[in-house]
Amino acid sequence: MGHESVEDYHWPPVASAQEMKDAKLPLAYRDRCASLLIPLNKCRHEFYYLPWKCTDERHAYEKCEYMEFQARVNALKKQKADAARAAAEAEAAAALSS
């Protein structure tokens, strides 16, 4: 069983700033996954944070956060590879010109 890649992941619709404000989400949690956190928090409050409740909502939110993390890791890897490639090209150009 393989893992879903960031490119294949179906991102949830982005919650609006007003929706996040109305849900009183802290600024640190206002990301692409906020639209999944809002119903999770409602469910948690409704069931008094019982650990065996809201498992589907929690799983969806945690998967979204993991995919968001993977997207940031991939972006950083790409940025480092681009910088290394640019440095190598600049070094090669400097060697040719001297």
Side-chain angles (χ1 to χ4, degrees):
M1 185 164 117
H3 294 285
E4 187 175 18
S5 70
V6 174
E7 294 82 23
D8 298 333
Y9 182 66
H10 177 69
W11 294 100
V14 178
S16 70
Q18 189 60 45
E19 288 173 325
M20 291 185 270
K21 182 179 176 184
D22 293 344
K24 298 178 182 172
L25 288 183
L27 292 176
Y29 294 94
R30 296 183 185 192
D31 58 8
R32 280 200 272 191
C33 302
S35 63
L36 298 174
L37 182 58
I38 293 168
L40 173 60
N41 283 344
K42 286 180 184 175
C43 181
R44 285 173 168 169
H45 287 287
E46 181 180 339
F47 291 106
Y48 302 102
Y49 284 80
L50 292 173
W52 57 89
K53 298 288 185 178
C54 312
T55 54
D56 292 338
E57 293 90 343
R58 188 187 66 204
H59 176 73
Y61 174 70
E62 288 175 351
K63 180 170 183 163
C64 182
E65 284 295 322
Y66 176 73
M67 297 308 269
E68 176 75 20
F69 169 75
Q70 288 297 321
R72 287 194 311 268
V73 167
N74 291 345
L76 182 61
K77 283 181 184 176
K78 183 181 181 311
Q79 183 181 15
K80 285 183 177 182
D82 291 346
R85 191 176 313 110
E89 289 173 0
E91 186 177 317
L96 288 176
S97 66
S98 52

